[in-house]
Amino acid sequence: MIQAKGFAALSAKAPIAPYSFERRDPRASDVVIDIKYCGICHSDIHQARDEWGGSVFPMVPGHEIAGVVRAVGSKITKYKVGDRVGVGCFVDSCRHCANCRQNLDQYCLEGITPTYNGYERDGQALSQGGYSNVIVVNEDYVLRMPDSIPLDKAAPLLCAGITLYSPLMHWKAGPGKKVGIVGLGGLGHMGVKIARALGAEVTVLSQSDRKREDALRMKAQHFLSTADKKVFTQHANSFDLIINTVSAEIDMNDYFGLLKTDGALVAVGIPEKPLTVQPASLISMRRTYAGSMIGSMRETQEMLDFCAQQEIMPEIEVIAPSEINAAWERVVKSDVRYRFVIDMSR
Ligand code: NAP
Ligand code: ZN
């Protein structure tokens, strides 16, 4: 076994603390990765605090992993020692269901193997994530990192980047389309940058005026503070696509009214409590309410290559592992600018 040093929550009420554990020895198709950086996603907090239910402990969170190949199994031809690589939100899937066969492996019908807070495919070993120094992953679930993306900035692309890229592509954000991004956090700020690169007209909808300058600097054309409820009438029937990245409960019915006829509101934020939907606000303009989860392995590689080509990078605050608990508190207060990334060498 490989000795790993990480940072874990031992229960839903415990803070993140140093934790030693073992990774499996590499099988023939595995890649051993020295983790250099890991992003902090709000999902880490929801899961470590068991806000979605069903969490398993001890939990080493982290699914925005950027690192360098330390060793490879005997059958590996795609990667070699020293390659720059990434790992996102899942590390395996069944590979044979209809979705896996159609490059929709994030929606594996038998269930993905989450990078942490779940079990390996044997149903026995706990999967453990990127708040650690090393990880062992089957090569099919490893991403190649383009040379021009520094590893610290690469990390947030592996969840925040792909979670916005996938619905923006699926709902065809592009020239002539008005796109709204609700919540300017880790996911939201990637949404602004990617939607702009795709040619869409982008509006940020944020709970206050505090992030206005940042949003405009990120090249959003418009910024609306939803503290002023008038925005919901002033901008009624004006968006083709709205993506809700908010991690808390907000009243969706306000937002449905912002959609044009046949417009779509896509949920990506996963609050602890359910949101209520008044069907009339969808029915009146044949609006769609949908959801989207991360992206497939193929689409994630496509997103990394797109971000490299378009020079799209997240805005990050790099921290030491000793600062994780304080960083989580700032994420919960919507005070991150705009993604914390843990430097695992510190
Ligand atoms: P984050 O950095 O904390 O951003 C969330 C943003 O939501 C905040 O910056 C804030 O933006 C807004 N917000 C937070 N609390 C609010 C409140 N009480 N009222 C109104 N607005 C509020 O979180 P993240 O890492 O981007 O993740 C966002 C959500 O997506 C989380 O629930 C996470 O679990 C989920 N997620 C889903 C997927 C998926 O595949 N669907 C993948 C990753 C994460 P403003 O300050 O601009 O209002
Ligand atoms: Zn995430």
Side-chain angles (χ1 to χ4, degrees):
M1 300 292 266
I2 297 174
Q3 289 303 316
K5 281 197 291 192
F7 300 87
L10 298 184
S11 76
K13 297 244 169 352
I16 294 294
Y19 177 70
S20 294
F21 61 108
E22 290 179 331
R23 300 282 193 187
R24 66 172 182 260
D25 284 322
R27 300 172 189 141
S29 299
D30 281 343
V31 178
V32 183
I33 300 165
D34 279 324
I35 299 176
K36 301 295 182 191
Y37 296 96
C38 184
I40 292 180
C41 178
H42 205 122
S43 302
D44 301 345
I45 304 170
H46 288 307
Q47 292 177 90
R49 295 182 177 173
D50 200 17
E51 291 174 354
W52 298 338
S55 287
V56 280
F57 297 94
M59 182 194 300
V60 178
H63 56 207
E64 294 186 336
I65 299 168
V68 174
V69 175
R70 178 200 289 190
V72 293
S74 58
K75 281 200 193 142
I76 302 278
T77 52
K78 239 164 83 187
Y79 296 104
K80 59 179 192 319
V81 173
D83 281 355
R84 301 161 76 256
V85 293
V87 177
C89 298
F90 60 109
V91 289
D92 213 338
S93 66
C94 81
R95 301 159 190 249
H96 53 72
C97 74
N99 284 349
C100 281
R101 279 190 272 114
Q102 293 183 75
N103 284 304
L104 289 171
D105 36 21
Q106 77 273 37
Y107 303 119
C108 173
L109 296 170
E110 293 184 14
I112 52 171
T113 301
T115 303
Y116 68 88
N117 192 25
Y119 292 91
E120 300 286 349
R121 297 217 83 72
D122 62 8
Q124 304 289 318
L126 272 182
S127 61
Q128 298 290 18
Y131 292 13
S132 59
N133 67 333
V134 60
I135 190 166
V136 181
V137 182
N138 181 281
E139 66 169 336
D140 294 335
Y141 297 82
V142 175
L143 286 315
R144 182 171 294 287
M145 199 51 67
D147 290 337
S148 62
I149 308 181
L151 286 181
D152 53 354
K153 297 206 174 192
L157 298 176
L158 293 153
C159 173
I162 185 59
T163 300
L164 272 290
Y165 181 83
S166 185
L168 288 166
M169 294 300 283
H170 185 77
W171 276 275
K172 301 190 168 47
K177 292 284 180 73
K178 288 196 175 182
V179 173
I181 302 287
V182 189
L184 194 65
L187 269 55
H189 95 294
M190 290 312 305
V192 171
K193 293 181 181 218
I194 294 169
R196 283 293 278 130
L198 292 170
E201 183 177 336
V202 177
T203 301
V204 170
L205 296 107
S206 188
Q207 61 193 314
S208 73
D209 245 328
R210 281 185 302 158
K211 298 177 181 172
R212 178 182 295 274
E213 275 173 33
D214 288 352
L216 300 179
R217 179 173 45 74
M218 290 172 200
K219 297 207 183 83
Q221 286 99 329
H222 315 282
F223 180 95
L224 300 175
S225 164
T226 53
D228 177 4
K229 294 289 170 206
K230 283 202 295 292
V231 300
F232 294 107
T233 46
Q234 282 165 353
H235 298 271
N237 305 309
S238 61
F239 289 92
D240 297 283
L241 172 66
I242 296 175
I243 302 183
N244 175 24
T245 76
V246 174
S247 49
E249 300 81 32
I250 57 172
D251 186 354
M252 289 327 296
N253 300 296
D254 286 342
Y255 294 83
F256 294 138
L258 297 173
L259 293 171
K260 288 179 184 169
T261 308
D262 286 329
L265 196 150
V266 179
V268 296
I270 315 171
E272 182 176 2
K273 300 200 185 80
L275 304 179
T276 52
V277 172
Q278 167 51 261
S281 41
L282 292 170
I283 289 167
S284 60
M285 292 287 164
R286 199 166 61 189
R287 296 168 174 131
T288 300
Y289 189 25
S292 181
M293 190 179 80
I294 47 177
S296 69
M297 290 307 299
R298 180 191 277 187
E299 196 176 33
T300 306
Q301 188 64 58
E302 179 188 300
M303 176 275 309
L304 291 173
D305 298 339
F306 175 83
C307 289
Q309 187 220 337
Q310 299 283 329
E311 297 178 13
I312 298 173
M313 305 271 173
E315 306 201 355
I316 60 172
E317 292 188 48
V318 179
I319 61 165
S322 58
E323 299 171 277
I324 294 170
N325 290 300
W328 278 20
E329 290 314 316
R330 282 188 51 202
V331 172
V332 170
K333 287 189 199 137
S334 306
D335 183 35
V336 48
R337 298 285 198 282
Y338 277 87
R339 198 61 144 182
F340 285 112
V341 172
I342 309 162
D343 178 349
M344 297 311 311
S345 72
R346 290 212 219 155

